[in-house]
Amino acid sequence: MAKPETSSTSTAKSETSTAKKENVWLENAKTLGLSIIFALGIRQFVAEARYIPSGSMLPTLQINDRLIIDKVSYRFNPPQRGDIVVFEPPFPLRERGYDDAFIKRVIGLPGDTVEVRDGRVSVNGKVLNENYVAQEPSYTWGPKTVPANSYLVLGDNRNNSYDSHYWGFVPANKIIGKALVRFWPLNRLGEVDPPPSHQQTPPTEPLS
C-alpha cells in the first residue's frame, strides 16, 4: 500500500519542479540571446535585408521591393560593372545632410573613362547595351575618368536618379554590399537583373 507523502517529500518535489522551470527559462534565455547575437553577426558581416524607398532604380527595382544584400563577396572580389550596390553616402552627400544608404548600379570601374551623351552611356569609348533603363538619359556628362578605389554609379531611372552624375564617385570603402536576391513581392522573387554589356560592334556614328 502506498504511503502518504510526508511534508519533506512534498517540499523536495516542489523545489525540483521550481528548479526545472528556472532551468527551462534560463535555456530559453540563452537560446534567444545566441539567436540575437547570431542574427546581428549575420547582418553585420554576411547579409542583410533592405527595401527600396524610391523610384530611382525603376524599372529594375520597384518601390517597396525587398532585397537580400550580400556583404561578403566584395571582401574577396571588387564590384563589377552592372552590379547593383548599396553604399553609405560619400562625403558630398553627407555634407548635404544625407545619412541613409543609397542603391545604384555600378557603371564605371576605377580607371574607366565614362561619358553620357546623345542618350547613350559609353565606357572607354564603347557604348553600353542597357536594355534595363527606364528611358535614355536626357543629360550630358563627362567624359570623366573614375579615380582609383572609386566607382561611378547611376540609377536605372536615369532622368530621375540622384547619382554620380550629380555628386561624384563612390569610394570603395563606402560600399556595403551587392543586391543579390529579391525576396518580396513573391511574384517577383529571384535574382536581380543581369549586368549590362558593351555593344558587339561600335556605333556607326561617333559620340560627338
Side-chain angles (χ1 to χ4, degrees), residues 177-189:
K178 175 183 178 180
L180 192 63
V181 175
R182 180 190 295 104
F183 67 89
W184 189 265
L186 294 179
N187 64 340
R188 300 179 65 234
L189 178 70

Side-chain angles (χ1 to χ4, degrees), residues 7 11 15 21-22 25 28 31 39 42 44 49 52 76 79 82 114 123 140 152 163 168 174 190 194 196 198 203-204:
S7 175
T11 302
E15 290 176 350
K21 288 181 180 179
E22 289 177 353
W25 281 106
N28 287 341
T31 300
I42 288 177
Q44 180 67 28
I52 305 302
F76 305 99
V114 183
V123 178
T140 298
L152 181 138
D163 52 32
K174 292 294 184 181
H198 290 119
T204 56

Side-chain angles (χ1 to χ4, degrees), residues 96 139 141 154 158-168:
R96 299 171 194 179
Y139 56 85
W141 184 91
L154 298 176
R158 289 288 153 82
N159 298 317
N160 294 282
S161 177
Y162 193 47
D163 52 32
S164 283
H165 87 279
Y166 278 106
W167 43 258

